[in-house]
Amino acid sequence: MRIGEAAAAAGCTPRALRLYEQRGLLPPPARTASGQRDYRPAEVARLRVIRELLGSGFTIEDLRSLADRLHLLTEGPPPRCGSPDAPAGSGAGVVGRRLALLDAEITRLTRLREELARRVYGERA
């Protein structure tokens, strides 16, 4: 399928699809005789995984460090990162770092909210 069709099937734009390709998240697709990108179902499935992970709070840089293993997520439910069945280097470090960053942000926002509530409502907050 062409770039517009693949992007629509994955829920993104052709521009985003090209960005993922440029950043190494998606291998360069086959080309037609006229030079147009030609995406297969496996690449669209990978695009869906990329979109889901980005929507879960991962960054493109996070995914770049896992790019060689993203295909594993298109093959059905993966084993848990900490389980004995998880392949070595399965991304537990990236996930752990992302969780730590999210926890730190939650703590920061909680403190910010508490401070704002104290300023607005005084001791009642």
Side-chain angles (χ1 to χ4, degrees):
M1 74 183 66
R2 303 294 185 262
I3 192 168
E5 297 165 320
C12 66
T13 64
R15 183 176 178 184
L17 202 156
R18 285 189 291 274
L19 173 71
Y20 303 152
E21 185 181 325
Q22 290 168 352
R23 297 293 171 92
L25 302 181
L26 192 65
R31 300 275 183 157
T32 65
S34 63
Q36 293 182 327
R37 291 172 169 87
D38 191 19
Y39 294 93
R40 297 170 305 181
E43 290 151 337
V44 173
R46 184 178 176 117
L47 277 169
R48 287 185 181 126
V49 165
I50 291 167
R51 300 289 296 166
E52 183 178 332
L53 291 171
L54 290 171
S56 295
F58 288 93
T59 65
I60 287 179
E61 287 306 311
D62 290 335
L63 298 184
R64 277 185 70 176
S65 69
L66 302 171
D68 62 329
R69 291 164 275 171
L70 288 175
H71 69 281
L72 298 172
L73 296 174
T74 65
E75 298 170 355
R80 292 173 46 117
C81 289
S83 77
D85 299 331
S90 62
V94 172
V95 172
R97 284 191 301 276
R98 181 57 45 202
L99 287 171
L101 287 169
L102 287 171
D103 287 342
E105 184 67 3
I106 289 167
T107 299
R108 185 186 74 78
L109 290 171
T110 300
R111 287 183 185 141
L112 182 63
R113 185 206 180 284
E114 289 169 355
E115 178 61 27
L116 180 59
R118 270 193 296 279
R119 288 176 184 232
V120 172
Y121 303 116
E123 293 302 317
R124 294 182 299 146

